[in-house]
Amino acid sequence: MSDPQPPIQPEQPQQPQATPQSPAPQWVPVPPPNPYAQAGGGRPGKGLGIASMAVGLVALLTAMTAAAYFAPAALIGGFLGLIALVLGIIALVKKQRPIGTWITGLAAGALAMLLGLVIGALGVGAMALQAFSASPGVAEDSQGQGPESSPGEAETQPSLIEWPANMATGGIIFGEFLEPVASAPLEPGEAPAASEVDRGSGVLDIRLYVDYRCPYCGIFEQTNGPMLSELVHGGAATLELVPLTFLDKLSEGSYYSSRASAAVACVVDGQPESAWAAHSTLLAPEVQPAEGGPGHTNEGLFAILDGSTGGLNSSVEDCIRTERFVPFSQALTSWVFSTPVPHAEDPELQVTATPFVVVNGIPYAGNPDDAEAFTEFLSEIAGY
């Protein structure tokens, strides 16, 4: 009998070998893509939009400020506005953010350009219209040398400012008894007309250009004034007096020449019988201002002329105090220095200094303090 066999044990499944545990995956947040990211990465640039807005606002402020004073700086504002427009357009093309910057720049730049163009155009037009009333460029000294000028420019230039009565030719024509020849004020659009002369009559026609600040004009008046007044008073001559203003810049900003010339215009307009006395008074050595000083105030001018003429009426007083004819006086000076002397033998004769005296179309070239030379000059022309 054989030995019993041990029971067969079921085969145990093979246990897998232990392996190291892998770490559980972790979630790492990733930001969403920037919808405005440029191809090269990063945020969109803001510089052009901000620059457009800043330049546009500065341009608009400049143009508006200049417009308030009708100043040429409006053109600068317009130019800055153009720059703002260019920057804004570039920012628009590049689609830069925020859009409010370049929109503001475009709007402000456009307004600044519009203001600049309008004010600039109006300024040029105003300068053209006021050319007749502008003071001439002056290159003179205290001896009364006038500015350089070109002949014939303003011969037909119209009057755009208020003219006084009794000065339709641009000067005061004194005839017999030293009475000014009457004439109505020029209307806007009218130009000064040359005075009529009749040299066949034997009456001398004398033109005298003065500046009441010019010391040599005062010397000429003291030396030759009495003889001239005698000739005119007696009917042997007519005298056309033309007061100028080109020595204004020697008055420390007080434009004394213009105010003195305007004061004489006030007298000839409102009290013509006192015009000769006013003219002579302003050339007296005790009245003429010291060289380089500001000269008399308007109140001082009125007081001086009121005393020397025996009394001025209220309209003349108001005219002097308010400087009513200062623009006229400055316009007249501009016209004189750009227009040949009327009825001169030399058709291109120009006023070059003060005092400037022309008798029967011939200029006096002697010294203003030489009475004998001036008398001989008159005698030669008169033929006696």
Side-chain angles (χ1 to χ4, degrees):
M1 187 173 169
S2 59
D3 291 331
Q5 294 292 325
I8 297 173
Q9 299 293 330
E11 185 175 343
Q12 298 295 324
Q14 186 176 359
Q15 297 294 326
Q17 295 181 352
T19 58
Q21 294 292 325
S22 299
Q26 295 182 0
W27 179 76
V28 179
V30 178
N34 187 347
Y36 305 118
Q38 296 174 333
R43 293 179 60 81
K46 302 179 182 179
L48 290 174
I50 294 175
S52 173
M53 179 177 66
V55 175
L57 292 176
V58 170
L60 184 58
L61 180 61
T62 302
M64 292 176 64
T65 303
Y69 295 96
F70 203 65
L75 296 176
I76 299 176
F79 178 72
L80 291 175
L82 175 61
I83 296 176
L85 277 176
V86 172
L87 292 173
I89 291 171
I90 295 175
L92 170 64
V93 171
K94 289 181 174 291
K95 299 181 180 179
Q96 292 194 347
R97 302 283 178 155
I99 63 174
T101 55
W102 52 261
I103 289 179
T104 302
L106 287 173
L111 286 175
M113 281 190 63
L114 180 62
L115 276 175
L117 290 174
V118 171
I119 299 303
L122 291 176
V124 171
M127 289 173 64
L129 289 175
Q130 294 175 358
F132 183 70
S133 61
S135 298
V138 179
E140 83 291 332
D141 54 28
S142 61
Q143 297 182 7
Q145 183 176 349
E148 296 180 0
S149 57
S150 57
E153 286 182 39
E155 191 165 0
T156 59
Q157 211 165 16
S159 169
L160 301 175
I161 41 85
E162 181 182 12
W163 279 58
N166 310 317
M167 292 188 69
T169 65
I172 309 166
I173 303 175
F174 292 96
E176 196 171 6
F177 307 117
L178 294 176
E179 292 285 342
V181 174
S183 63
L186 293 182
E187 296 293 333
E190 287 187 272
S195 58
E196 297 181 1
V197 297
D198 181 9
R199 290 172 184 164
S201 64
V203 177
L204 297 174
D205 62 89
I206 304 172
R207 298 180 66 85
L208 174 61
Y209 299 84
V210 300
D211 187 308
Y212 290 114
R213 183 167 196 104
C214 165
Y216 281 77
C217 296
I219 292 172
F220 181 84
E221 173 65 22
Q222 304 312 310
T223 304
N224 302 297
M227 178 182 62
L228 284 176
S229 62
E230 182 178 344
L231 288 173
V232 175
H233 190 278
T238 60
L239 173 66
E240 183 165 0
L241 171 68
V242 185
L244 304 179
T245 68
F246 69 94
L247 289 177
D248 270 344
K249 78 174 190 178
L250 300 182
S251 304
E252 297 181 354
S254 74
Y255 51 99
Y256 175 78
S257 292
S258 291
R259 292 187 296 107
S261 174
V264 172
C266 288
V267 175
V268 76
D269 176 82
Q271 197 169 313
E273 65 275 11
S274 301
W276 183 266
H279 157 71
S280 301
T281 298
L282 291 178
L283 290 177
E286 65 273 15
V287 173
Q288 278 197 308
E291 185 173 347
H296 305 287
T297 64
N298 294 335
E299 291 72 18
L301 279 170
F302 170 74
I304 291 168
L305 296 179
D306 187 57
S308 66
T309 59
L312 296 173
N313 60 46
S314 58
S315 66
V316 175
E317 178 182 3
D318 180 71
C319 180
I320 293 174
R321 291 183 185 274
T322 60
E323 303 180 3
R324 176 183 171 191
F325 289 127
V326 163
F328 158 77
S329 297
Q330 294 173 344
L332 177 63
T333 299
S334 179
W335 183 80
V336 165
F337 281 112
S338 60
T339 307
V341 174
H343 306 302
E345 288 196 353
D346 177 2
E348 296 185 354
L349 180 65
Q350 296 286 135
V351 178
T352 57
T354 53
F356 194 80
V357 190
V358 182
V359 180
N360 283 15
I362 302 172
Y364 171 61
N367 293 327
D369 61 350
D370 192 338
E372 183 177 351
F374 187 64
T375 302
E376 290 179 359
F377 171 71
L378 291 177
S379 297
E380 289 176 4
I381 293 177
Y384 54 83

